[in-house]
Amino acid sequence: MNATRVLVIGGAGYIGSHVVKALLDKKCAVTVYDNLSTGQRCNLFAAARFIEGDILDIAKLNAIMAEGFDAVVHLAAKKAVGESMVNPQFYAQNNLNGSINIFNAMVDNGVKNVVFSSTAAVYGMPQYLPLDESHPLNPMSFYGYTKAEIERVMTWFARLKDFNFVALRYFNAVGYAADGSIRGKEKNPQNLLPIVMEVLSGKRPKMQVFGNDYDTPDGTCLRDYVHVEDLARAHVAAIEKLLSEPKSHIINLSTGKGTSVLDIINAAERVSGKKVNYEFAPRRAGDPATVIASNDLAREVLGWTPQYTDIDEIVKTTWNLEEK
Ligand code: UDP
C-alpha cells in the first residue's frame, strides 16, 4: 500500500490511533483529522500529518478533502450510550450531521472510498446467535441509532454517487498495541476492561459486576471481545478491498467467542497478580445475556481473522499500560 493516501478522521482516538499505526506499518501516507475532544495528542504518530479540525467545520473538511485521498477512514463520533439517551440533540448534530458533512465533502471533491466505524449496538437485543450481518437492526440507544442511520446514508450515497464504503461493526474493542506505542487511556471509561484496570491500579476503590443470574455458564454476561490491533488490521484490509474492487460492504468484526465478565476479571487477576475488588450488583438495564457474532463475512470479503484469541494475552496488552 506504498504511498496510498489515507485521511483518518478521528485518528487521535483509541481505535483511530491503532488504525493509523496499522496504516503507517503498511507505508501509507496518513493524514489525521481530529478535534481532540476525546482523542489525545499522545496518540498521534510523528510519521502521520496532523490537522486539528472538527467534522462540523464544513469549510475545513472541504479544504482538506480537495487535496485528494485514496480513502477516508471515518471514526469521529461521540460514543457514550448513556449520554446519547440524555442528550440526543448533541449526538444528532455530531454523529449524523458530522458524518453527512464528511460524505458531502468526499463526493464534492471526488474522494470515493470510506471505511466507517460502526458498532454492534446497531443490532439491539439479539433475536438469534451468533449475530450475522442480516440480523434486524433494532438499536436500543440513540448512539446505536446514529450508527445505523449513517450506514443507511452511505448505502444511498453508494447507489447514487461514485461512492463506496465498508462499514465495520465492531464488537467489544479491547487491548492496546502490544509494542506499547499507544498509551492514551480513555478518561472516565465506561467499558468493562478499562474499569477493571482502574480498580487494579487503585484509581477506583471497587467495581460492580452487573448481574450474576444470567443464563450463562457463570451467570455473568458473555461478550465478544476483539483486540484493537485486530480491528485496526481490518481497516487496512477494507481499504485494500475498496481500492481493488469498488463495491460496498457491511461487516461484523468479532471473534465468534463469548467471554464472561468474570472471565475478564479472572484474566486481569492472573495477568496482574493482584485481586480485583468487585461486588455483584443488579443487572444493568438493556444488557443482553449474550452477544456473540459471526465473522464469516470478514473472513470471506476481507480475508480477516482475529489473531488475538487468548484472553490473558489481550488483557496483558492493557495491563502493560498501567505498569509503566
Ligand atoms: N460490566 C460490568 N461492570 C462494569 C462495566 C461493565 O459488569 O462496571 C459488564 C456489562 O454489564 C456487560 C459487560 O461488562 O455485560 C461489557 O460491558 P461494556 O459496557 O464494556 O460493553 P457493552 O457490551 O455493554 O457494549
Side-chain angles (χ1 to χ4, degrees):
M1 296 185 81
N2 210 358
T4 301
R5 297 161 306 162
V6 186
L7 176 64
V8 184
I9 303 179
Y14 166 54
I15 297 175
S17 56
H18 286 88
V19 171
V20 169
K21 178 179 188 297
L23 290 167
L24 290 173
D25 288 347
K26 289 279 183 179
K27 308 275 177 267
C28 293
V30 180
T31 300
V32 170
Y33 187 92
D34 198 300
N35 69 359
L36 299 179
S37 62
T38 50
Q40 303 179 50
R41 275 189 195 278
C42 66
N43 283 343
L44 297 171
F45 286 83
R49 178 167 68 131
F50 174 58
I51 295 171
E52 189 168 347
D54 200 287
I55 57 175
L56 299 180
D57 186 342
I58 294 173
K60 198 163 194 171
L61 272 180
N62 270 296
I64 176 83
M65 218 60 91
E67 292 180 11
F69 291 93
D70 299 303
V72 171
V73 183
H74 168 28
L75 310 109
K78 293 288 158 198
K79 66 171 185 78
V81 169
E83 183 189 38
S84 78
M85 302 298 273
V86 178
N87 194 355
Q89 317 91 297
F90 181 51
Y91 278 67
Q93 172 81 334
N94 199 77
N95 292 9
L96 295 177
N97 290 353
S99 296
I100 290 166
N101 291 342
I102 291 170
F103 306 147
N104 285 351
M106 287 176 61
V107 170
D108 292 345
N109 291 283
V111 177
K112 298 175 185 167
N113 302 307
V114 61
V115 179
F116 173 66
S117 59
S118 190
T119 169
V122 297
Y123 293 115
M125 201 54 87
Q127 294 173 14
Y128 58 83
L129 292 167
L131 290 161
D132 58 27
E133 292 81 354
S134 44
H135 184 283
L137 303 190
N138 204 359
M140 290 189 295
S141 66
F142 193 79
Y143 160 71
Y145 158 73
T146 64
K147 293 285 183 173
E149 198 58 41
I150 297 161
E151 289 185 355
R152 287 196 193 100
V153 172
M154 291 192 300
T155 303
W156 273 103
F157 271 47
R159 259 183 229 163
L160 303 173
K161 291 285 167 183
D162 197 2
F163 180 98
N164 312 296
F165 71 90
V166 176
L168 298 173
R169 292 178 177 162
Y170 313 144
F171 282 70
N172 294 57
V174 280
Y176 277 84
D179 67 3
S181 57
I182 296 170
R183 313 202 57 79
K185 280 188 267 182
E186 281 187 287
K187 298 185 180 84
N188 189 22
Q190 314 273 324
N191 293 109
L192 176 63
L193 187 55
I195 289 173
V196 171
M197 291 296 130
E198 289 200 349
V199 175
L200 281 176
S201 65
K203 229 171 148 188
R204 286 180 197 237
K206 71 154 81 149
M207 62 171 291
Q208 297 186 319
V209 172
F210 301 133
N212 63 344
D213 57 352
Y214 285 99
D215 185 16
T216 59
D218 66 19
T220 66
C221 290
L222 295 175
R223 294 288 179 272
D224 194 325
Y225 294 92
V226 196
H227 196 276
V228 66
E229 287 196 296
D230 282 327
L231 293 181
R233 282 191 305 105
H235 294 71
V236 177
I239 292 172
E240 282 175 325
K241 188 72 185 175
L242 285 167
L243 294 178
S244 66
E245 202 182 301
K247 209 173 154 241
S248 296
H249 304 273
I250 296 178
I251 298 174
N252 286 342
L253 293 182
S254 61
T255 66
K257 200 182 105 188
T259 302
S260 77
V261 177
L262 287 179
D263 289 337
I264 293 279
I265 289 175
N266 292 337
E269 291 187 339
R270 281 192 298 272
V271 164
S272 68
K274 297 183 182 192
K275 282 271 161 227
V276 176
N277 189 12
Y278 69 88
E279 63 188 10
F280 291 115
R283 292 180 178 197
R284 191 171 67 174
D287 263 348
T290 303
V291 179
I292 299 171
S294 155
N295 58 21
D296 290 352
L297 200 62
R299 193 182 316 248
E300 204 179 293
V301 175
L302 304 178
W304 178 90
T305 46
Q307 287 177 359
Y308 284 88
T309 50
D310 178 47
I311 198 69
D312 285 28
E313 202 190 329
I314 289 174
V315 169
K316 192 168 186 321
T317 66
T318 309
W319 175 241
N320 284 344
L321 247 65
E322 305 293 329
E323 287 180 308
K324 287 161 202 159

